[in-house]
Amino acid sequence: MNRVATLIATIETEMDVQTESPAVNPEHLRMVEALLFAAGEPLDQKALSTSLPEGADVPALISSLQAVYEKRGVNLCCIAGKYQFRTAADLAFLLRKEQPEQKRLSKAAIETLAIIAYHQPVTRAEIEDIRGVVMSKGTIDTLMEVGWVKIRGRKRTPGRPVTYGTSEAFLVQFGLESVGHLPGLDELKAAGFLEAIPPSGFDVPNPSDGLGPDEDPYEGEEAQDLATGSVNLDEA
Amino acid sequence: MNRVATLIATIETEMDVQTESPAVNPEHLRMVEALLFAAGEPLDQKALSTSLPEGADVPALISSLQAVYEKRGVNLCCIAGKYQFRTAADLAFLLRKEQPEQKRLSKAAIETLAIIAYHQPVTRAEIEDIRGVVMSKGTIDTLMEVGWVKIRGRKRTPGRPVTYGTSEAFLVQFGLESVGHLPGLDELKAAGFLEAIPPSGFDVPNPSDGLGPDEDPYEGEEAQDLATGSVNLDEA
Amino acid sequence: MTDTAENFDDFESTAIAADDDALVVTVDGFEGPLDLLLTLARNQKVDIAKISVLKLAEQYLEFIEAARKINLELAADYLVMAAWLAYLKSRLVLPQEKTPEGEPSADEMATRLRWRLQRLDAMRAAATRLMNRERLDRDVFGRGDPEPVNVVKLRTYKDTLYDLLTAYATDRARRLGGKAYKPVVSPVLQIEEARERLERMLGRIGDWSGLSRLLPPDWQGGQRRRSALASTLLACLELARDGKVELNQGAPFEEIYVRDRSGPHAPLAPETGA
């Protein structure tokens, strides 16, 4: 009687949840479930509470629903601060599909993407410093075209270079709650690999500190990209 | 402790299912759940069993899953022998969003409406005679759909054509107490809608929503049209 | 260095392959000098943090030398790195050398190089981990058949009583008052037609025939007659100019008489006041 055992385990889990979070309205729970199931895209708490009756405890409903679905074939995931039902990761073998060809990235692009993700906000020069090579113009273009990388702002250093960061689509694609949840982030931080480049003077030669031969200054017509890219100058 | 009560109820349901159908493999249950969730269209038992491991008891899995989702915000529905998760019918209102939209009547429609208002009860032929153009079928349909025009009765003339008049919704929209409050010739002149000397043949009748002298109330086979057209027989 | 290939498992091409003595050199597969250094470092099979920078520098310089021998074109940054490593090497092998003021020691420079290699290595590992995550629409899936929100349009109309009255009074008045001008197309007997007809009649027109009797029989009455009369008169005037007919009128608005001059008979004075 596997089933009963599972059920009892479920109850125990539920009871735990019960003691942690306040009792939730079961009708509200159904509604959140329906809303999240129906929507193709991740929904944030605000979107949920707009559709729910006044006074519904959205955070409690979500954590309750997450607990209900925790062991199921479908899980309620937190993606980019929003919530979405997704098939359980361990069932990937059952559902796996080949990625469409256009999203196959070059080695350089993958490496650049990782550096942007972990080091953001990061300038082109900093990416080149880490990779030890001048970047071809196409690399970041490809990442921006796929929609995973965006221009965040400009660094308050001479030349005011633009800074890159990852987009929400990146978080959605890789199933991340936020960039703070990148795998191995803490280890990299502890090892000091994410810190700003130490003062130069005794540094290994950089591929290019200034403007690369294939690099144009950022200006004018791209101003709109900046505006849409949730710029955070403070971090620069 | 609503939650616990719900849970106990769930267990009881589950136990019932348990006794009815053979024990199902909980891993298989997760797989069916994930497959049905991710599928872009309803899946039949054959499609499911192709994806599932050898020997999975698909009918039992489905009925077990249906029982699990029976009271939930999402149900496992069977449509034409295929299975699909759908939002629970009673939560359909969550997926409805009302969007206000402001429109204006077409020139032909408002002119027709005005003629119906002033000349009611009026037949289609009479409207065409006053406007001097043949009316397109859609014009009166639109006005009836909006709910401002209704069929009042039939004229006691050969062919017994239907007569049109205005509804209560019309009065509400245009802020009129009754159709008798529509401004007369002198008032139209005073308000500047008409020149001091209107063209010959310009008559402004005294509209009334009472039954005309040569008009019969609308009845009989058209009762169904009446029902849809928000027509008010009491007034006819 | 026979197992170099496995160090490139993430790379598309094997950039360096070597047996114990000879290096086979190509820079095609390397993403810059740091990448080359990292590959060489991995070949030392020790923790990068503890790697011998001196040995690494020697391997790098050897590689560059070999590349030059086969006239391989090397990007400038490979050469800059080579120069820097040669300098570092020279300082590393002269341990007694005093570090000039404000300049890092050779050990510090070596440490810094190790750190950069470690960092690149770590970022590559992170990239691999990132790409191996369960990715949406490849490994994990959202709802395959989402149920879209039904947008119900709540239609309201902006039309006001003003619009209604305008439609009734103004538009209707305009329709009644200002009937559109429709030109009346009158029947017209062309002058050429009238002249041709008269020319055919020449020789058969009697002495001093009334013009009204010469009109085409099917152009009698109303508009048609007026047009036929005018055209025939004009045709007669043309014929008179050509000397083919003579015209006579007793008084204004009286009948006009036409006399054929093409015939043999001598002209006679017309009776006036017919």
Side-chain angles (χ1 to χ4, degrees):
Chain A
M1 291 280 119
N2 230 334
R3 197 79 188 306
V4 176
T6 315
L7 262 168
I8 288 164
T10 312
I11 296 153
E12 282 168 358
T13 319
E14 297 272 347
M15 296 298 260
D16 281 351
V17 174
Q18 192 71 10
T19 52
E20 281 168 26
S21 64
V24 295
N25 181 326
E27 261 315 299
H28 292 179
L29 202 69
R30 289 182 74 228
M31 291 180 188
V32 175
E33 190 178 31
L35 285 166
L36 288 168
F37 240 85
E41 293 103 51
L43 296 180
D44 61 14
Q45 297 202 357
K46 200 174 149 233
L48 287 170
S49 65
T50 318
S51 298
L52 289 172
E54 196 95 359
D57 185 352
V58 177
L61 287 163
I62 288 171
S63 61
S64 180
L65 207 56
Q66 277 181 320
V68 169
Y69 277 92
E70 198 184 353
K71 305 252 163 65
R72 304 276 287 277
V74 170
N75 304 144
L76 181 53
C77 307
C78 180
I79 309 291
K82 300 177 178 184
Y83 299 89
Q84 186 183 31
F85 276 116
R86 290 183 168 193
T87 56
D90 67 314
L91 296 177
F93 72 95
L94 196 70
L95 305 158
R96 184 163 280 144
K97 279 188 208 157
E98 273 308 303
Q99 274 287 92
E101 195 60 34
Q102 76 263 19
K103 282 198 182 170
R104 202 161 259 163
L105 294 174
S106 70
K107 180 79 196 160
I110 290 168
E111 218 173 281
T112 304
L113 175 65
I115 291 167
I116 291 172
Y118 285 87
H119 289 259
Q120 60 188 306
V122 64
T123 65
R124 185 188 190 93
E126 285 162 355
I127 297 166
E128 291 179 337
D129 178 68
I130 294 166
R131 296 191 60 228
V133 70
V134 172
M135 205 170 2
S136 77
K137 178 103 177 74
T139 307
I140 282 189
D141 284 357
T142 305
L143 292 171
M144 289 185 53
E145 205 177 298
V146 176
W148 294 344
V149 161
K150 64 181 186 195
I151 293 173
R152 289 176 48 134
R154 286 183 185 280
K155 200 145 188 164
R156 281 205 210 95
T157 53
R160 295 181 33 81
V162 295
T163 51
Y164 296 96
T166 51
S167 65
E168 189 175 306
F170 167 82
L171 298 175
V172 170
Q173 169 66 211
F174 292 97
L176 292 163
E177 190 174 336
S178 73
V179 289
H181 289 72
L182 281 163
L185 187 68
D186 293 341
E187 291 89 318
L188 287 168
K189 228 179 234 167
F193 291 134
L194 302 184
E195 278 161 30
I197 294 99
S200 54
F202 65 106
D203 209 2
V204 181
N206 277 332
S208 160
D209 277 329
L211 220 52
D214 56 348
E215 197 180 7
D216 290 320
Y218 187 72
E219 59 183 30
E221 77 276 22
E222 289 106 333
Q224 278 191 313
D225 296 336
L226 275 174
T228 57
S230 76
V231 179
N232 193 342
L233 269 175
D234 298 342
E235 288 186 52
Chain B
M1 290 281 119
N2 231 332
R3 199 81 188 305
V4 177
T6 316
L7 262 167
I8 289 166
T10 312
I11 296 154
E12 282 168 356
T13 320
E14 297 272 345
M15 296 299 261
D16 280 351
V17 174
Q18 192 70 7
T19 54
E20 281 167 25
S21 63
V24 294
N25 182 327
E27 263 315 299
H28 290 179
L29 204 67
R30 290 181 74 231
M31 292 179 190
V32 175
E33 195 176 30
L35 284 167
L36 287 169
F37 173 81
E41 56 199 358
L43 297 180
D44 59 16
Q45 297 202 357
K46 199 174 150 232
L48 285 169
S49 64
T50 318
S51 297
L52 289 172
E54 197 92 3
D57 184 352
V58 177
L61 286 164
I62 286 171
S63 63
S64 180
L65 208 55
Q66 276 180 321
V68 169
Y69 277 94
E70 197 184 353
K71 303 254 165 63
R72 303 277 288 278
V74 169
N75 304 144
L76 181 52
C77 306
C78 180
I79 304 142
K82 296 181 176 186
Y83 298 89
Q84 189 176 36
F85 280 118
R86 300 312 287 173
T87 306
D90 66 317
L91 296 179
F93 70 92
L94 286 172
L95 304 180
R96 226 177 92 107
K97 211 169 117 192
E98 293 181 342
Q99 197 181 69
E101 186 193 59
Q102 282 223 315
K103 275 195 80 173
R104 266 181 189 285
L105 287 179
S106 70
K107 208 164 148 54
I110 190 132
E111 220 177 294
T112 304
L113 177 65
I115 290 164
I116 291 172
Y118 270 99
H119 295 257
Q120 62 189 304
V122 64
T123 66
R124 183 188 193 88
E126 285 162 354
I127 296 167
E128 290 180 342
D129 188 51
I130 295 166
R131 291 192 60 219
V133 282
V134 173
M135 210 172 352
S136 79
K137 175 97 180 74
T139 309
I140 282 191
D141 286 354
T142 303
L143 293 170
M144 290 190 48
E145 212 171 288
V146 175
W148 293 343
V149 160
K150 63 184 186 191
I151 295 173
R152 289 173 46 137
R154 284 184 181 282
K155 201 143 188 166
R156 276 195 225 104
T157 52
R160 294 184 28 84
V162 294
T163 51
Y164 296 98
T166 51
S167 68
E168 205 173 304
F170 165 82
L171 299 177
V172 172
Q173 169 77 21
F174 294 97
L176 291 163
E177 206 172 303
S178 75
V179 289
H181 283 68
L182 278 166
L185 186 65
D186 292 338
E187 290 162 289
L188 287 174
K189 272 190 221 166
F193 287 104
L194 277 177
E195 311 227 341
I197 303 158
S200 63
F202 195 103
D203 55 328
V204 178
N206 258 337
S208 144
D209 47 13
L211 210 56
D214 56 351
E215 194 185 13
D216 287 331
Y218 195 68
E219 58 186 26
E221 81 277 17
E222 291 101 335
Q224 277 189 316
D225 298 335
L226 280 173
T228 57
S230 81
V231 178
N232 195 340
L233 256 182
D234 298 344
E235 289 186 50
Chain C
M1 288 177 73
T2 47
D3 57 349
T4 313
E6 78 182 21
N7 293 319
F8 291 94
D9 49 4
D10 289 333
F11 290 84
E12 279 161 21
S13 63
T14 300
I16 176 170
D19 54 38
D20 287 336
D21 298 330
L23 275 170
V24 177
V25 175
T26 160
V27 286
D28 284 353
F30 287 108
E31 308 236 351
L34 212 58
D35 184 29
L36 173 56
L37 273 173
L38 184 57
T39 307
L40 293 168
R42 276 169 169 166
N43 288 348
Q44 287 193 20
K45 289 190 180 124
V46 286
D47 185 351
I48 294 171
K50 293 174 189 139
I51 202 149
S52 159
V53 169
L54 185 61
K55 196 175 162 196
L56 195 61
E58 281 167 352
Q59 283 179 332
Y60 185 92
L61 293 169
E62 193 185 335
F63 179 95
I64 297 299
E65 194 52 40
R68 274 183 163 158
K69 264 184 196 148
I70 59 165
N71 287 324
L72 200 72
E73 219 172 284
L74 287 170
D77 46 357
Y78 284 88
L79 303 177
V80 172
M81 179 64 87
W84 186 81
L85 285 171
Y87 169 68
L88 178 58
K89 184 186 152 193
S90 70
R91 288 187 56 186
L92 283 169
V93 295
L94 298 170
Q96 304 310 322
E97 187 215 10
K98 276 199 84 176
T99 304
E101 192 69 26
E103 232 182 75
S105 70
D107 275 350
E108 280 170 327
M109 288 166 75
T111 305
R112 174 83 184 124
L113 177 59
R114 272 189 219 103
W115 184 82
R116 280 194 66 177
L117 291 174
Q118 277 179 284
R119 184 176 64 174
L120 180 59
D121 201 39
M123 288 321 299
R124 290 206 170 149
T128 306
R129 232 176 321 177
L130 187 64
M131 297 315 278
N132 285 344
R133 277 186 72 83
E134 308 295 349
R135 286 167 59 184
L136 187 65
D137 296 332
R138 186 188 70 174
D139 311 306
V140 296
F141 296 85
R143 176 89 183 267
D145 189 17
E147 296 169 71
V149 171
N150 269 328
V151 178
V152 180
K153 293 222 166 112
L154 289 180
R155 195 167 280 178
T156 51
Y157 285 83
K158 281 187 272 190
D159 303 274
T160 62
L161 188 61
Y162 176 85
D163 299 320
L164 187 78
L165 299 179
T166 304
Y168 187 70
T170 315
D171 297 344
R172 212 175 138 233
R174 195 173 52 230
R175 210 188 297 280
L176 281 173
K179 273 218 161 81
Y181 170 72
K182 221 168 152 195
V184 181
V185 182
S186 312
V188 171
L189 178 67
Q190 300 294 325
I191 296 168
E192 293 74 27
E193 204 181 317
R195 185 180 162 138
E196 277 168 28
R197 188 170 165 278
L198 279 176
E199 281 176 331
R200 282 199 303 274
M201 288 166 73
L202 285 177
R204 284 182 284 132
I205 300 173
D207 258 5
W208 302 117
S209 300
L211 184 66
S212 54
R213 299 185 60 187
L214 299 176
L215 300 183
D218 55 340
W219 282 80
Q220 302 295 332
Q223 291 280 341
R224 291 175 70 80
R225 183 183 153 82
R226 280 175 68 181
S227 173
L229 191 63
S231 300
T232 307
L233 173 62
L234 284 167
C236 284
L237 288 170
E238 284 181 16
L239 290 175
R241 184 191 63 205
D242 295 346
K244 291 179 178 164
V245 295
E246 267 184 303
L247 298 176
N248 197 352
Q249 188 179 32
F253 303 109
E254 301 253 289
E255 176 74 288
I256 296 167
Y257 293 93
V258 183
R259 187 168 75 162
D260 196 341
R261 287 192 63 194
S262 61
H265 37 255
L268 290 173
E271 293 172 80
T272 54

